[in-house]
Amino acid sequence: MKKETRFETEVIHSGYDSKEYKGSLAPPIFQTSTYVFENARQGERRFCGEEEGYIYTRLGNPTVKMLEDRVAVMEKAEAALAFSSGMAAVSATLFALTKTGDHILCSQGVYGCTFGLLEMMESKFNITHQFLAMSSKEQIEQAIRPETACIYIETPINPTMQLIDLEMVASVAREKGIPVVVDNTFCSPYLQKPLELGCDIVIHSATKYLCGHGDVIAGLVAGKSEWIKEVSMTTQKDIGGVLSPFDAWLLLRGIKTLPVRLDRHCQSAEIIAEKLCAHPSVDEVFYPGLRTHQGYEIMKKQMKKGGGLISFTIKGTKEEAQDFLDRLNLIKIAVSLGDAETLIQHPATMTHAVVPKEAREEMGISDQLIRLSVGLEAWEDIWSDLEAALNGLK
Ligand SMILES: Cc1ncc(COP(=O)(O)O)c(C=O)c1O
């Protein structure tokens, strides 16, 4: 029997066995679009599913499969499926779960393009959605309709950092037989494992912490084998947002250091969140690791640590918020997160610019809100850059 190993070991070894690849320590990149059949009848058997084996890289690739197997282990899922972007993963999942006339119950905030996708699904296909705080069982029970096809959650929510109790949502959904989908991008499986809390499907923008180096756009979905197989043979195969073998290889490499990186991200974020709270030009700080945070008790229950992202509001106008960003030197103005470099952005005019102002304000995204992805630099250097730029607000 295979010995159970810890997460820090799984991120390095799972999904790949060097013995199967001539002893190569690093996994090989199967940079091929197609696979040669031994004869015509083998081609027929592969196409009709009578024989296991690769056909064409849009339908499967060995390097991509290594990544999928590793992420499935990390998320404690039966299987996982890789996509060409986080949005390819979100859209393939939502299209697989819904049909015309259905309804999606969604957390009070979501990433801007997920909002755009939900709007598009509503206007084009009459698949409606409703945003909900999901702060109690009763509130969720009342919002569920006969046509509710799934519950879609981000926790922490991008960019407001509010938390939702996943175990609570999963218990309501289970009673009603509705699948719960969780976008786990902000945490990664190192900090939070939604499937262990009773949720059904996990999504990642693997572009972020899983990759960790700012050089790949990728997505992942994890869940039950049967459902993953269905997505792979329907919305993924026919819409076609598959990951390239080289990007899968970069992800396999990045994932090896995920726990080490996240420990540092979290440690520095905790210090910087405290310092931001004490700065006179900062109004509010939203960081799950702060005792004052709305979801601090939820964080302790379902997350290992507070994470590497902090949002905060400055005392000032939209223009002053933009001038504050422009005064930074070390910290880069950019809309990704989870990279070695500390990144900062202004959600109202960047990641959530597609959300109409009224809806944005309902989600808690004001013109004063700033999102900071704390990188791997020395926290003292990150803070000194922030402090100097904040001091300019006075
Ligand atoms: C929470 C969340 N989900 C999904 C996405 C989309 O991922 P991608 O940019 O890899 O398509 C993002 C991107 O920022 C995100 O922050």
Side-chain angles (χ1 to χ4, degrees):
M1 207 175 78
K2 203 168 158 270
K3 199 167 169 252
E4 277 262 322
T5 46
R6 290 171 181 75
F7 190 85
E8 290 77 357
T9 309
E10 286 165 352
V11 294
I12 296 169
H13 294 283
S14 61
Y16 180 65
D17 184 352
S18 55
K19 288 204 263 333
E20 291 173 23
Y21 299 96
K22 299 187 190 293
S24 175
L25 178 70
I29 307 172
F30 283 81
Q31 193 70 33
T32 184
S33 56
T34 197
Y35 305 83
V36 180
F37 304 130
E38 281 169 20
N39 51 53
R41 283 179 182 76
Q42 182 182 51
E44 182 183 11
R45 286 196 302 279
R46 294 243 173 120
F47 266 89
C48 71
E50 263 176 27
E51 181 185 297
E52 287 276 316
Y54 290 99
I55 296 175
Y56 184 66
T57 280
R58 180 156 45 76
L59 314 180
N61 173 282
T63 312
V64 176
K65 178 81 166 67
M66 291 168 201
L67 169 69
E68 292 168 342
D69 289 349
R70 181 165 299 173
V71 171
V73 170
M74 289 161 64
E75 282 290 2
K76 301 253 182 252
E78 286 178 12
L81 195 59
F83 290 83
S84 56
S85 70
M87 284 317 300
V90 174
S91 53
T93 300
L94 288 180
F95 282 126
L97 290 172
T98 57
K99 60 179 186 325
T100 297
D102 279 348
H103 170 249
I104 300 168
L105 200 55
C106 189
S107 50
Q108 189 64 53
V110 277
Y111 169 57
C113 293
T114 304
F115 179 90
L117 174 70
L118 290 169
E119 290 282 299
M120 192 251 278
M121 288 172 79
E122 185 153 333
S123 65
K124 280 196 151 179
F125 308 116
N126 189 31
I127 299 164
T128 59
H129 59 272
Q130 176 188 346
F131 295 108
L132 196 72
M134 302 202 192
S135 48
S136 74
K137 266 187 148 187
E138 297 68 38
Q139 190 197 46
I140 301 169
E141 273 162 1
Q142 279 166 18
I144 289 175
R145 304 182 196 160
E147 64 273 22
T148 303
C150 68
I151 298 182
Y152 187 93
I153 295 174
E154 279 182 19
T155 178
I157 295 177
N158 182 3
T160 57
M161 303 305 293
Q162 286 152 350
L163 300 194
I164 294 172
D165 183 338
L166 290 176
E167 217 166 16
M168 181 269 287
V169 177
S171 73
V172 184
R174 205 174 309 117
E175 279 165 27
K176 308 267 179 189
I178 299 170
V180 179
V181 183
V182 181
D183 181 332
N184 204 23
T185 300
F186 272 32
C187 283
S188 91
Y190 182 55
L191 299 183
Q192 176 172 277
K193 292 191 184 63
L195 302 182
E196 282 193 329
L197 299 165
C199 301
D200 302 279
I201 296 157
V202 170
I203 295 184
H204 281 282
S205 166
T207 314
K208 313 292 164 29
Y209 288 108
L210 290 182
C211 170
H213 294 76
D215 45 17
V216 169
I217 296 282
L220 273 140
V221 176
K224 288 241 184 303
S225 303
E226 210 178 307
W227 189 80
I228 291 289
K229 193 162 181 206
E230 188 191 314
V231 176
S232 115
M233 295 316 289
T234 55
T235 51
Q236 189 187 51
K237 174 175 78 68
D238 298 334
I239 299 174
V242 291
L243 190 63
S244 82
F246 181 61
D247 286 348
W249 184 84
L250 283 172
L251 273 161
L252 281 162
R253 186 161 96 144
I255 283 174
K256 288 185 190 181
T257 54
L258 177 75
V260 183
R261 287 186 280 111
L262 260 170
D263 281 344
R264 168 73 86 91
H265 284 301
C266 293
Q267 200 183 8
S268 299
E270 279 165 27
I271 299 170
I272 287 166
E274 294 283 357
K275 293 202 169 286
L276 283 169
C277 287
H279 196 284
S281 300
V282 173
D283 198 11
E284 277 190 282
V285 181
F286 307 98
Y287 179 65
L290 289 173
R291 279 175 196 284
T292 48
H293 187 266
Q294 152 273 344
Y296 182 70
E297 291 307 318
I298 301 175
M299 187 282 290
K300 285 209 301 192
K301 204 171 105 174
Q302 71 190 25
M303 289 168 65
K304 194 180 166 86
K305 294 177 187 182
L309 285 150
I310 305 169
S311 287
F312 58 97
T313 48
I314 53 124
K315 292 178 184 161
T317 60
K318 172 187 151 192
E319 287 69 28
E320 283 169 318
Q322 290 174 321
D323 292 343
F324 156 67
L325 295 195
D326 289 346
R327 278 194 295 276
L328 294 161
N329 287 309
L330 176 74
I331 300 174
K332 307 286 179 253
I333 308 172
V335 293
S336 199
L337 58 102
D339 292 332
E341 296 81 1
T342 297
L343 305 179
I344 201 159
Q345 66 114 355
H346 183 242
T349 57
M350 296 179 186
T351 50
H352 289 70
V354 293
V355 182
K357 193 168 171 57
E358 205 180 306
R360 231 172 29 226
E361 277 166 6
E362 265 172 40
M363 289 179 179
I365 306 169
S366 68
D367 284 348
Q368 288 73 27
L369 188 76
I370 308 281
R371 190 189 76 192
L372 177 74
S373 168
V374 178
L376 301 177
E377 305 95 337
W379 70 261
E380 291 90 339
D381 295 332
I382 303 171
W383 175 246
S384 116
D385 200 26
L386 278 171
E387 191 180 33
L390 283 169
N391 288 345
L393 275 166
K394 278 182 253 161

